[in-house]
Amino acid sequence: MTAGSDGFAAVVGGPALHIPVLGRPALDFLNVRDGGIYIDGTFGAGGYSRAILAAANCKVIGIDRDPSALALGQPLVEAAQGRLILIEDMFSYLDHAARAAGFDLVDGVVLDLGVSSMQLDTAERGFSFRLEGPLDMRMSATGATAADVVNAASERDLANIIFILGEERHSRSVARAIVKARELAPIRTTRALADLVAAVVRSRPGDIHPATRTFQALRIFVNDELGELVRALGAAERILKPGGRLVVVSFHSLEDRIVKSFLAERGEARAGSRHAPEIKGLPPTFRVLTKRPLIADDEEIACNPRARSAKLRAAEREPAAARAEVPSQLLPRLPALADVLKGR
Ligand SMILES: C[S@@+](CC[C@H](N)C(=O)[O-])C[C@H]1O[C@@H](n2cnc3c(N)ncnc32)[C@H](O)[C@@H]1O
């Protein structure tokens, strides 16, 4: 079933600040039960949290790095009468956040990645090339902005970021145009960057806006979205009890590849090595529940175009101990934000 067909949006109630994507299947895979504890690592407009709370007499720990999302969630905290705890944090710390709130293990973790419609539609947040605003793009209220990156990074770093994270074929031309423009004056607004990109990336009627890929790349880079995801998967492995469920909805091929590879690796027994006999075989920590990713049907896409690129993967925690290493080999090779800001 989909958001459109089964009234998921009606179940979650409230104003449609953000229509949850793949909400019904996410809820089904979470297997919500009375007495269970669930982490919604991407609280956003609270769509998933509301639905989990409505599905059973359970508790939800809602996490978001965006303080404005949590402020809007306060009425839901009150309505939930002690069943919803909201925490401002990065989801890479979701295990620490849950333990600090008094929960050693949980029954489910759900991540609905990317930005919310509220973030996208607020011009001052600087996420949208369609709205004039400061070139910000930070989900949290702290750290370097997209303008800091655009005005400081070397041409090579800019091209790599835009190519790898935006999959933009014209990344070199975009980087060259940025460097040329900022020699005259710093690039400070969404419109300035969008116009500059549109001048070098040609598009035909019906294509996506030519700045789409560049904006996506900068957003992912500024918020370290892929690093956050890799660390969150490790955190979920540590905090889920045996039989607990992990559900991840992603919107970008790089995100989906990370989730797929992580689950494939953790879903297999790791063999010991005859060259290093001290390394013992490791049993799998997850059982994959989605051989192929689940995608939205036409009806949901018609109601919510954001659902078009969504992919859901789910897995059940096995009893084996969490593995020590964070699978950082899943990340694309890009310099750290701090190094990029040093420029050249
Ligand atoms: C797509 S929205 C989630 C929408 C939500 N499922 C709903 O139904 O309303 C993603 C949210 O996750 C938050 N977010 C993204 N990355 C995060 C991270 N690394 N740590 C914590 N929150 C994050 C964003 O600030 C945003 O509010």
Side-chain angles (χ1 to χ4, degrees):
M1 284 191 284
T2 66
S5 66
D6 73 346
F8 186 83
V11 172
V12 304
L17 294 170
H18 174 97
I19 306 172
V21 174
L22 291 172
R24 175 53 55 191
L27 202 64
D28 291 343
F29 275 114
L30 264 187
N31 199 20
V32 179
R33 298 256 181 259
D34 283 351
I37 313 289
Y38 300 90
I39 298 180
D40 176 358
T42 50
F43 179 77
Y48 277 31
S49 287
R50 273 177 211 263
I52 298 168
L53 289 165
N57 186 12
C58 59
K59 286 194 175 168
V60 173
I61 303 163
I63 298 174
D64 207 294
R65 67 197 288 183
D66 184 344
S68 64
L70 298 181
L72 283 172
Q74 284 314 310
L76 185 56
V77 172
E78 276 149 43
Q81 300 186 330
R83 294 201 293 130
L84 173 65
I85 300 163
L86 289 188
I87 301 173
E88 183 184 332
D89 211 336
M90 317 286 276
F91 57 46
S92 53
Y93 291 112
L94 60 85
D95 54 337
H96 297 280
R99 288 195 181 114
F103 303 100
D104 284 343
L105 287 173
V106 304
D107 299 273
V109 171
V110 63
L111 299 174
D112 174 22
L113 303 173
V115 274
S116 67
S117 303
M118 297 176 302
Q119 290 166 329
L120 212 52
D121 296 343
T122 305
E124 306 81 63
R125 303 296 301 265
F127 287 106
S128 173
F129 43 75
R130 296 185 197 286
L131 305 171
E132 171 72 328
L135 192 55
D136 190 313
M137 299 198 198
R138 293 170 302 171
M139 292 184 195
S140 316
T142 57
T145 64
D148 293 332
V149 172
V150 159
N151 290 303
S154 69
E155 185 176 326
R156 186 159 176 265
D157 283 347
L158 279 172
N160 283 337
I161 291 166
I162 296 167
F163 181 69
I164 294 174
L165 301 182
E167 295 170 326
E168 170 57 84
R169 285 189 300 130
H170 304 286
S171 55
R172 289 204 184 145
S173 310
V174 174
R176 205 173 309 127
I178 289 174
V179 170
K180 204 167 153 206
R182 77 187 186 196
E183 278 165 9
L184 301 175
I187 301 161
R188 295 199 194 283
T189 67
T190 48
R191 188 62 54 74
L193 181 63
D195 289 350
L196 195 151
V197 177
V200 291
V201 176
R202 260 185 268 137
S203 68
R204 282 174 298 206
D207 283 355
I208 56 169
H209 188 287
T212 307
R213 295 190 190 89
T214 298
F215 270 62
Q216 171 186 284
L218 288 168
R219 192 203 84 210
I220 293 175
F221 187 71
V222 162
N223 294 291
D224 188 19
E225 291 181 36
L226 302 183
E228 272 294 299
L229 174 58
V230 165
R231 293 187 292 275
L233 295 172
E237 185 183 56
R238 291 190 292 275
I239 197 76
L240 279 168
K241 60 173 71 156
R245 296 283 181 90
L246 170 65
V247 179
V248 185
V249 177
S250 63
F251 293 86
H252 187 290
S253 56
L254 290 173
E255 290 169 345
D256 182 56
R257 205 174 308 153
I258 287 173
V259 180
K260 179 182 170 187
S261 310
F262 174 83
L263 291 180
E265 198 237 332
R266 297 310 220 240
E268 278 178 0
R270 159 95 59 82
S273 162
R274 106 187 127 84
H275 302 293
E278 71 282 4
I279 300 177
K280 298 209 172 68
L282 294 172
T285 57
F286 279 104
R287 180 169 68 86
V288 179
L289 301 173
T290 44
K291 285 229 156 31
R292 284 158 186 257
L294 218 99
I295 55 173
D297 62 20
D298 293 344
E299 202 180 342
E300 178 167 4
I301 293 169
C303 297
N304 185 6
R306 240 190 112 245
R308 198 178 304 122
S309 53
K311 288 192 174 146
L312 181 154
R313 293 187 188 267
E316 186 170 291
R317 186 72 171 83
E318 296 278 15
R323 296 188 187 168
E325 89 283 8
V326 178
S328 53
Q329 77 281 2
L330 301 177
L331 291 170
R333 279 168 190 258
L334 278 174
L337 177 59
D339 292 329
V340 165
L341 292 174
K342 287 183 200 146
R344 206 158 269 220

